[in-house]
Amino acid sequence: MPTAPDCKEAGRVVPVIDRNRCEGMEDCVRVCPYDVFAVRKLTEEERAPLGRLTRFKVFVHGGKQAFVTRPEDCHACGQCVRACPEKAIALRALPG
């Protein structure tokens, strides 16, 4: 598996996506060397709690947003954070 010089041990942090910012541009999917992300259409249940402006943004961008599908594989390299044009991704430390 590819690594970046600033990668750490997996399982220490998880990426968190801000639903109000993500526009599903897929930059996180392209840059992540560990396949932590996927972009897909939101379900009705996922769209329902979003605010009006966010629902409009999601609609304009094809109804898609990024999702963290393999959080346990994140190595905290930060490439996703730097690549996201909407600044919608943050890395959060896991407790323990």
Side-chain angles (χ1 to χ4, degrees), residues 3-4 6-7 27-28 31-33 76-84 91:
T3 60
D6 50 353
C7 287
D27 293 41
C28 55
V31 301
C32 181
C77 65
Q79 292 183 52
C80 58
V81 174
R82 289 187 295 277
C84 181
L91 297 178

Side-chain angles (χ1 to χ4, degrees), residues 2-94:
T3 60
D6 50 353
C7 287
K8 297 167 183 53
E9 181 181 335
R12 299 178 121 187
V13 300
V14 293
V16 178
I17 299 172
D18 182 339
R19 295 278 149 233
N20 292 312
R21 290 179 171 258
C22 180
E23 295 180 0
M25 298 294 187
E26 300 190 36
D27 293 41
C28 55
V29 173
R30 281 191 288 278
V31 301
C32 181
Y34 301 100
D35 297 319
V36 171
F37 300 93
V39 172
R40 65 167 173 78
K41 282 195 169 221
L42 274 72
T43 65
E44 282 294 322
E45 294 80 23
E46 291 165 336
R47 268 195 314 269
L50 300 176
R52 185 177 297 163
L53 178 59
T54 302
R55 283 195 311 270
F56 178 72
K57 281 185 2 179
V58 168
F59 172 78
V60 168
H61 293 285
K64 297 178 181 180
Q65 282 191 329
F67 288 86
V68 178
T69 55
R70 295 173 44 183
E72 69 278 1
D73 290 338
C74 179
H75 283 67
C77 65
Q79 292 183 52
C80 58
V81 174
R82 289 187 295 277
C84 181
E86 296 89 23
K87 308 288 185 234
I89 303 172
L91 297 178
R92 297 260 159 63
L94 292 171

